[in-house]
Amino acid sequence: MLKKPFSLFAVLALMASWAALPSARAAGNFDPAGNPANLRRPIQTALPEQYIWTSGDAAALRPDHAKFNYRQRQRKTEPHAFRDTFQISRLPRTATLYIAGPRSVKAYLNGTPVLDVAADPESPLEIHVFRAEVHSALRIGRNLLAIEAVRGPGIVAASDSPLIQQLSFGEVLVAKIVPAAPGISAAPLTFSGAAWRSVAATPTGWQSPDFDDSGWPRVQSLGAIESSPKFFQWNLDAGLYDWPGYIGMSPYLRTYTLTATAVTHRTGNLENLEALTSPHSHQPFSVQIPAGTTEENAPSLLLDFGREVAGRLLLKSDCNCEARVLLSYGESAGEALSGKNYLGVNLLTIPPHGLARGPKSGFRYAWLRFVGGAPRTTFQSVRLEGIAYPVHYAGSFQSSDPLLNRIWQTAAYTAHLCMQDGVWDAPKRDRGWWAGDLAVSGPVISDVFGDRFLLDQTLTSLIPPARQDVNGIPGYTALWIVTLADLYRHSGDQAALEARHAALLRLLQQMDSELDASGRFTNPRHRWLFVDWSPGLFAFTSQAEEGTELEFVLAFRDAAWLLNQLGDTAAAMRYDSRAGWLAAQARQQFRDADGIFSQRWQLNALAVLAGVATPRDYPAIWSKVFSAIGADGTQTQTISPFFNEFLIEAMARMGRRRAALAWMREYWGGMLAEGATSFWEAYDLRWPKQNPHLHLQADGTTGYFVSLAHGWSSGPASWLLQELLGVKATGAGFSSVQIRPDLAGLSWIRGSVATPRGAITVEAKPNRVQIYIPQGTEATVLLPAGNWLRNGSAFATKPTLSGVRLQTFLHQAGQYEFLRR
């Protein structure tokens, strides 16, 4: 209860203002998965077939496993033999063999050759599905399936998990025989599992049913192919789109359908195109496929779903024929039509009156070329099957600036797109767990969605083996600790923090081992370093070492706080002391005669955030470095959306929120002006504007490879809540909070921040501030200086922040209105 309750009029007025905040329905306007009520659990039968490989052979299990990566495509390419015996009591009318994982296979059923095929070496997919009709080779009673396999080509996957390393190096095989026509799922007659036998050789006669394999060891089984979120990372399973019954989703994910908003680039005879853009069309879409159709002259079209989405294309046949469609995704139209899209061009085979799914990815456009089928091939539907993690938009932001509102929505949506089988960097590339990306998207997920399940899961998955860095990058070890501290401030989950106590100490010891006696980070193990995708700030450079050292200071400070929360007083004191000592060393080493930390935006931002730069340094950093940021709508240094979040956070720390907002409008607003519907992996105001996707630069390359939906670009969604609404947790789980509204030149702001205790809401105008705090939260409110009333009455305040703010306290839950007279 309030000490003095609102009048009825005031209560109704405040309720009306809160009602204006975005609801789940409103979130659906910019996020098609924004309302969990519209999502559904897919009908899914757990597939029993397992990833297997020759026991004891996998490179990922060797001490020198680092020598075996995706670049060594010609290493370990000896053929492996696999054998399985199974019984059937009657012959099915038809049967199809499926094999996936290797780059090439030869298969024999009861000694009869049934399959001899190799994958396209130019394909970007790691796994390819091979299939063959095998009905004629089956026998009633005992059957023998023998497979010769050469490991897959391998793809990049930055993971410490031996499981993921083995998959990414291509040392897996999955197989089954299904008593059904191609593309139809049914209970298998046999499937790959732990009882199979294998050797890394092909001895004479090994394909024969009479061959004695009793001396062969059982295979290594990695588990059923849908049994772990690790199997869905890094596009490892992208090629399994053609595997019957494969859904490839964690059980907590949901799906939704979305029709295209436009159909362009049409060629050939296409009928009832409106069926592709209307969910309620009464006539099916059909296409005439002439005899002699090739890839070059096939009827085609480009579907535009109106925004970046995460999911896959879903095609349902309304034809008695088997249809074949070439599918190319693109985050931009240029990517889809280029033939150089990230997952390549993939053939979808749609069974008669059946359905087919394309690969999972992030995209906006889908280019379809109809290369096979009946002379008139009809489709019941061609739609997006979106894949989403169900969340509520408990956090919200609105202001008098429509551009900022769009930036907030787009940033929040970008983070949601990355909430898949864990919190990924992106739904297209890499579809993986990265600690750096999580340091930005984690606070967004906490502030906007109030979800911690995926954050917990991802932080746990990122913990490396002993004496290794997170993602193999020392700075990412530091950012893992920073993210853990942020999550604990938001969640207050003591049990989860205690479960990570040992890992926290181990990572701190890893960081200790990378500093010399003077406190310098000298990269003694010659790790690949990363601060930002900016010249000199990654790989083996002195500035990358400096940035990593500053990240260490930031992490040691957060670690000391976490250890205090754990009651580990001795360790807390040790790392608090180490943080102070290292900060002093860094200040002495890196601060130049002008009082700045070089001319680099990134290094000065880190110095501010880590407390290496003190408030006495702020005027010099501002005048000599930051004041040029975005001046006259220009950009003079290369910086990614990832590090721009740290930059605007540092500007706010220095009291320069208006300047940070101006840069946000220029930078993130610049992406919107160039057509962004989610925020990009990389951006620069100076890059060409004609087909901007083709000119983006990141990860050592340029062009369509670069992601247009990257979690590390979502920072404005949390920044606007923390720096303009001014809501920041000061006690674990928002047991206490600071609320410091800052209009920063706006006429009004309003919004909410998700907390475990319920949303905190704030609305501010120049002379009025309204706040709601939930039960169990105590708030310190910092109002602009002036003569204020609280709920119509005078109240106690005291000046703070050099007199520009007044401090007051709210100890009870409820709604408060502050009016300045």
Side-chain angles (χ1 to χ4, degrees):
M1 293 180 62
L2 303 178
K3 293 183 178 179
K4 182 175 181 179
F6 272 145
S7 68
L8 178 60
F9 174 79
V11 171
L12 292 175
L14 189 57
M15 290 175 64
S17 70
W18 296 149
L21 293 173
S23 61
R25 179 178 296 177
N29 293 332
F30 61 87
D31 184 346
N35 185 351
N38 296 333
L39 306 180
R40 58 184 176 273
R41 184 192 300 270
I43 299 173
Q44 184 174 7
T45 301
L47 296 178
E49 51 265 29
Q50 301 172 20
Y51 286 124
I52 62 172
W53 195 245
T54 307
S55 181
D57 179 79
L61 305 179
R62 294 171 50 156
D64 61 346
H65 64 84
K67 297 179 180 179
F68 300 89
N69 59 49
Y70 70 98
R71 294 186 179 91
Q72 279 77 48
R73 292 198 166 196
Q74 300 310 313
R75 298 190 69 178
K76 290 188 97 256
T77 56
E78 68 281 355
H80 290 235
F82 297 82
R83 285 172 57 96
D84 170 57
T85 301
F86 62 98
Q87 300 277 338
I88 59 173
S89 58
R90 62 185 180 88
L91 291 176
R93 292 183 178 180
T94 186
T96 308
L97 166 67
Y98 297 91
I99 301 174
R103 71 181 72 184
S104 64
V105 296
K106 296 178 181 178
Y108 306 83
L109 186 54
N110 297 316
T112 300
V114 293
L115 185 64
D116 185 351
V117 66
D120 177 1
E122 299 302 317
S123 170
L125 300 182
E126 160 65 352
I127 288 179
H128 298 81
V129 175
F130 308 121
R131 71 185 189 187
E133 205 288 322
V134 296
H135 165 265
S136 61
L138 284 170
R139 303 286 182 266
I140 293 176
R142 180 180 181 272
N143 289 262
L144 185 281
L145 175 62
I147 300 171
E148 176 185 315
V150 176
R151 74 162 181 90
I155 59 173
V156 62
S159 173
D160 300 304
S161 164
L163 197 67
I164 292 177
Q165 289 174 355
Q166 183 169 345
L167 276 163
S168 67
F169 194 59
E171 293 185 309
V172 292
L173 176 142
V174 57
K176 67 179 177 181
I177 297 177
V178 174
I184 304 297
S185 183
L189 302 176
T190 187
F191 56 86
S192 52
W196 284 38
R197 296 180 183 273
S198 175
V199 292
T202 52
T204 302
W206 71 274
Q207 314 97 318
S208 169
D210 299 326
F211 182 84
D212 181 9
D213 62 13
S214 61
W216 288 17
R218 302 290 185 185
V219 296
Q220 170 203 11
S221 172
L222 282 70
I225 61 175
E226 295 179 300
S227 62
S228 170
K230 293 181 178 180
F231 295 155
F232 310 140
Q233 308 292 313
W234 308 101
N235 281 297
L236 293 169
D237 69 331
L240 285 177
Y241 70 87
D242 207 22
W243 190 266
Y246 188 77
I247 300 297
M249 291 167 48
S250 295
Y252 46 75
L253 294 178
R254 300 290 182 267
T255 63
Y256 64 94
T257 58
L258 192 68
T259 54
T261 60
V263 182
T264 63
H265 295 78
R266 302 184 296 270
T267 66
N269 197 332
L270 310 172
E271 302 174 9
N272 300 318
L273 284 169
E274 65 274 7
L276 300 176
T277 56
S278 171
H280 308 296
S281 175
H282 298 294
Q283 296 295 325
F285 163 71
S286 62
V287 55
Q288 293 187 18
I289 306 177
T293 293
T294 65
E295 292 184 22
E296 289 72 27
N297 65 14
S300 64
L301 56 85
L302 182 70
L303 296 177
D304 177 2
F305 290 97
R307 73 200 81 191
E308 178 89 13
V309 291
R312 52 196 162 198
L313 200 67
L314 178 65
L315 298 90
K316 293 184 179 180
S317 169
D318 195 29
C319 182
N320 293 324
C321 67
E322 179 183 87
R324 290 180 294 116
V325 178
L326 290 174
L327 171 64
S328 304
Y329 291 142
E331 293 185 297
S332 62
E335 180 187 5
L337 296 167
S338 69
K340 300 177 182 179
N341 53 307
Y342 185 65
L343 291 182
V345 179
N346 296 290
L347 178 65
L348 272 62
T349 303
I350 306 97
H353 297 283
L355 62 84
R357 291 178 168 89
K360 299 174 294 179
S361 191
F363 59 98
R364 173 176 172 172
Y365 298 90
W367 185 33
L368 284 71
R369 286 176 285 170
F370 302 91
V371 294
R376 185 175 185 271
T377 300
T378 305
F379 294 88
Q380 181 180 336
S381 64
V382 181
R383 298 179 181 175
L384 167 81
E385 182 179 59
I387 300 175
Y389 181 76
V391 292
H392 292 275
Y393 276 78
S396 62
F397 177 82
Q398 291 181 329
S399 74
S400 56
D401 184 343
L403 177 57
L404 289 182
N405 299 342
R406 282 189 63 202
I407 289 172
W408 186 89
Q409 291 176 350
T410 306
Y413 178 52
T414 301
H416 191 202
L417 284 170
C418 299
M419 298 174 73
Q420 298 285 322
D421 302 285
V423 181
W424 287 345
D425 61 335
K428 180 181 88 170
R429 200 212 89 246
D430 296 304
R431 294 175 74 88
W433 298 315
W434 287 102
D437 303 71
L438 195 65
V440 175
S441 62
V444 174
I445 291 168
S446 294
D447 283 335
V448 177
F449 307 119
D451 183 83
R452 68 173 185 265
F453 171 77
L454 280 191
L455 290 174
D456 278 331
Q457 180 206 73
T458 306
L459 278 168
T460 298
S461 300
L462 282 167
I463 298 172
R467 295 181 296 281
Q468 292 189 32
D469 282 296
V470 175
N471 295 126
I473 301 172
Y476 276 21
T477 301
L479 292 181
W480 185 95
I481 294 172
V482 171
T483 304
L484 176 62
D486 183 82
L487 176 58
Y488 183 65
R489 289 188 191 98
H490 280 85
S491 73
D493 188 336
Q494 187 72 20
L497 182 60
E498 289 172 354
R500 295 193 176 92
H501 189 181
L504 173 61
L505 290 174
R506 181 155 52 83
L507 291 177
L508 287 167
Q509 291 166 3
Q510 172 69 14
M511 293 166 64
D512 286 341
S513 72
E514 294 172 326
L515 300 173
D516 66 14
S518 69
R520 290 293 309 272
F521 173 80
T522 57
N523 199 15
R525 297 180 181 88
H526 207 57
R527 306 285 195 199
W528 190 86
L529 305 180
F530 180 80
V531 177
D532 193 18
W533 287 126
S534 183
L537 289 172
F538 61 90
F540 310 102
T541 70
S542 60
Q543 288 192 327
E545 289 182 355
E546 179 179 339
T548 300
E549 187 170 326
L550 293 170
E551 289 172 335
F552 274 32
V553 179
L554 184 62
F556 284 144
R557 293 193 191 281
D558 274 342
W561 179 76
L562 287 169
L563 291 164
N564 263 321
Q565 297 294 308
L566 286 163
D568 190 344
T569 307
M573 292 177 62
R574 181 167 66 253
Y575 284 102
D576 182 63
S577 175
R578 177 172 279 278
W581 177 72
L582 187 57
Q585 296 298 311
R587 179 176 174 79
Q588 182 178 358
Q589 293 160 4
F590 304 137
R591 183 175 177 270
D592 64 22
D594 292 327
I596 60 176
F597 295 78
S598 83
Q599 289 290 332
R600 301 303 299 270
W601 295 350
Q602 292 92 334
L603 297 181
N604 283 277
L606 278 175
V608 170
L609 296 177
V612 174
T614 69
R616 293 191 302 274
D617 300 316
Y618 293 173
I621 292 173
W622 176 255
S623 64
K624 299 179 185 301
V625 184
F626 287 173
S627 62
I629 296 173
D632 301 320
T634 61
Q635 182 172 344
T636 58
Q637 294 191 25
T638 301
I639 186 170
S640 70
F642 162 63
F643 219 94
N644 257 312
E645 162 60 18
F646 298 100
L647 176 62
I648 59 174
E649 186 180 344
M651 294 169 77
R653 182 80 58 89
M654 296 166 63
R656 300 285 181 168
R657 291 178 183 81
R658 286 198 186 201
L661 272 187
W663 178 236
M664 185 184 293
R665 293 183 182 102
E666 290 287 346
Y667 190 84
W668 280 274
M671 284 186 259
L672 293 178
E674 295 185 36
T677 61
S678 53
F679 285 133
W680 305 343
E681 178 182 11
Y683 182 65
D684 193 300
L685 298 176
R686 300 165 293 183
W687 290 344
K689 307 306 178 188
Q690 185 71 25
N691 191 5
H693 193 185
L694 185 62
H695 301 286
L696 300 186
Q697 303 172 25
D699 209 357
T701 191
T702 300
Y704 298 132
F705 171 90
V706 180
S707 160
L708 295 191
H710 230 71
W712 77 4
S713 66
S714 64
S718 58
W719 191 95
L720 289 166
L721 301 183
Q722 293 187 21
E723 300 299 343
L724 294 196
L725 294 187
V727 179
K728 295 182 180 180
T730 53
F734 282 88
S735 56
S736 61
V737 62
Q738 175 183 284
I739 302 176
R740 183 194 184 281
D742 193 335
L743 289 171
L746 298 168
S747 299
W748 58 269
I749 54 173
R750 63 170 172 251
S752 56
V753 174
T755 87
R757 304 164 194 271
I760 294 172
T761 53
V762 177
E763 180 173 356
K765 295 180 179 179
N767 294 311
R768 187 178 73 168
V769 175
Q770 296 169 288
I771 294 172
Y772 173 80
I773 58 172
Q775 193 71 37
T777 294
E778 294 190 349
T780 300
V781 180
L782 303 179
L783 298 166
N787 188 3
W788 293 84
L789 297 177
R790 183 176 69 194
N791 298 344
S793 301
F795 61 100
T797 63
K798 70 174 183 178
T800 187
L801 300 179
S802 302
V804 300
R805 291 270 164 172
L806 295 178
Q807 176 177 281
T808 189
F809 301 97
L810 304 178
H811 299 291
Q812 295 175 313
Q815 297 167 329
Y816 296 84
E817 182 180 53
F818 298 89
L819 292 175
R820 182 159 56 180
R821 293 182 289 183

